[in-house]
């Protein structure tokens, strides 16, 4: 591709390179909820306790503690979201160490770490991590037959795309 073609060729027409990331049957699921949504997530997790118990669970600070204490499930805990937990989760996603994110966020309350939340959701999209942001989407995600199967995520190679632009 010549320099002139790079300028005039839309990115959508350029060759998209993709990396493939295998996911095992046992998924690594992170559970996150804003304060006004913690009870909703707890109720949802309680309803789905048997399914969640078959997977490796992670959670940010208080949310992870609530799930572990109330439901007796083992939850690897990160720091609280505003204290760096969102960045810790984002790091795990970018390292390929997270498979699903269930994040009940509160669209009606301003968060002191809104920028961190947006960055976390952006990383989930970049690394093609399934995200459930409410009870309905979480229900659809957890009831998917893909949950207990091997799966191969495809991730666009943004570095190659950006270099070629």
């Amino acid at each position: 591709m010549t320099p002139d073609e790079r300028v005039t060729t839309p990115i959508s027409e350029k060759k998209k390179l993709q990396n493939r990331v295998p996911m095992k049957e046992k998924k690594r699921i992170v559970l996150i909820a804003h304060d006004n949504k913690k009870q909703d997530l707890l109720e949802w997790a309680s309803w789905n306790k048997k399914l969640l118990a078959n997977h490796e669970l992670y959670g940010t600070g208080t949310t992870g503690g609530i799930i572990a204490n109330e439901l007796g499930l083992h939850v690897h805990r990160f720091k609280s979201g505003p204290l760096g937990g969102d960045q810790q989760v984002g790091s795990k996603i970018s390292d390929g160490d997270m498979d699903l994110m269930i994040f009940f966020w509160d669209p009606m309350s301003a968060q002191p770490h809104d920028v961190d939340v947006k960055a976390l959701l952006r990383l989930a999209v970049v690394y093609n991590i399934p995200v459930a942001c409410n009870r309905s989407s979480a229900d659809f995600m957890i009831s998917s037959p893909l949950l207990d199967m091997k799966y191969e995520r495809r991730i666009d190679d943004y570095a190659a795309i950006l270099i070629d632009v």
Side-chain angles (χ1 to χ4, degrees), residues 28-43:
R28 297 162 296 183
I29 303 172
V30 62
L31 304 168
I32 306 169
H34 285 153
D35 289 344
N36 291 341
K37 296 294 182 175
K38 290 188 190 315
Q39 186 62 38
D40 287 344
L41 182 60
L42 177 61
E43 290 172 8

Side-chain angles (χ1 to χ4, degrees), residues 145-157:
L146 296 174
L147 184 68
D148 296 317
M149 297 171 56
K150 290 182 180 178
Y151 182 81
E152 192 172 76
R153 283 187 293 121
R154 294 180 181 196
I155 302 171
D156 289 338
D157 187 348

Side-chain angles (χ1 to χ4, degrees), residues 41-103:
L41 182 60
L42 177 61
E43 290 172 8
W44 178 86
S46 179
W47 180 261
N48 292 290
K49 180 179 175 179
K50 287 181 183 176
L51 291 170
L52 290 170
N54 296 324
H55 300 280
E56 192 170 350
L57 303 178
Y58 295 80
T60 51
T62 309
T63 304
I66 290 170
I67 300 294
N69 294 334
E70 296 290 325
L71 303 181
L73 295 171
H74 178 70
V75 180
H76 303 277
R77 291 174 61 192
F78 298 107
K79 293 180 179 182
S80 174
L83 299 177
D86 293 336
Q87 285 91 349
Q88 289 177 306
V89 173
S91 176
K92 286 286 194 186
I93 289 172
S94 66
D95 288 342
D97 295 333
M98 206 56 62
D99 298 316
L100 306 169
M101 180 167 60
I102 298 172
F103 186 176

